[in-house]
Amino acid sequence: MRDEVRTFVIEQLADMNYDVEDIDDDTTLGPSGVDLESLALADLAVRVEDRYGLKFADDESEKLALMTVGEFTTMVADQAAANSDNA
């Protein structure tokens, strides 16, 4: 599941016109890595929510900006797995 989520996130970043060539699991989503601004983070969050049936809290965007790609994909995969277990 985690690999599927990671692939989806990278595809979405590419679709949003971000350079994904050098992105790895240690790349942060925020300023020192991918450099997603708040609107781009919100866009990514909505795309992930729509695809995996998750809901991020409005105040989570700052937390997301500090996460690495690996941390974000693991969190999404874990939440999606928990949601499917509860379905």
Side-chain angles (χ1 to χ4, degrees):
M1 172 63 114
R2 187 184 176 286
D3 289 340
E4 175 193 329
V5 172
R6 186 183 189 288
T7 299
F8 178 79
V9 168
I10 298 299
E11 288 171 352
Q12 297 314 302
L13 291 171
D15 186 58
M16 295 161 61
N17 296 317
Y18 284 90
D19 180 10
V20 296
E21 191 172 310
D22 296 325
I23 291 177
D24 62 26
D25 281 352
D26 295 326
T27 305
T28 59
L29 293 171
S32 60
V34 181
D35 200 19
L36 297 180
E37 296 177 4
S38 58
L39 284 176
L41 274 168
D43 187 11
L44 179 61
V46 166
R47 291 173 186 226
V48 169
E49 287 174 346
D50 289 348
R51 173 70 174 84
Y52 294 101
L54 305 179
K55 186 70 182 136
F56 295 106
D58 292 338
D59 61 354
E60 280 190 294
S61 61
E62 284 184 32
K63 184 175 121 183
L64 296 179
L66 300 174
M67 295 180 112
T68 65
V69 170
E71 291 167 339
F72 180 69
T73 55
T74 298
M75 178 192 72
V76 170
D78 290 349
Q79 286 185 15
N83 284 356
S84 67
D85 289 345
N86 295 331

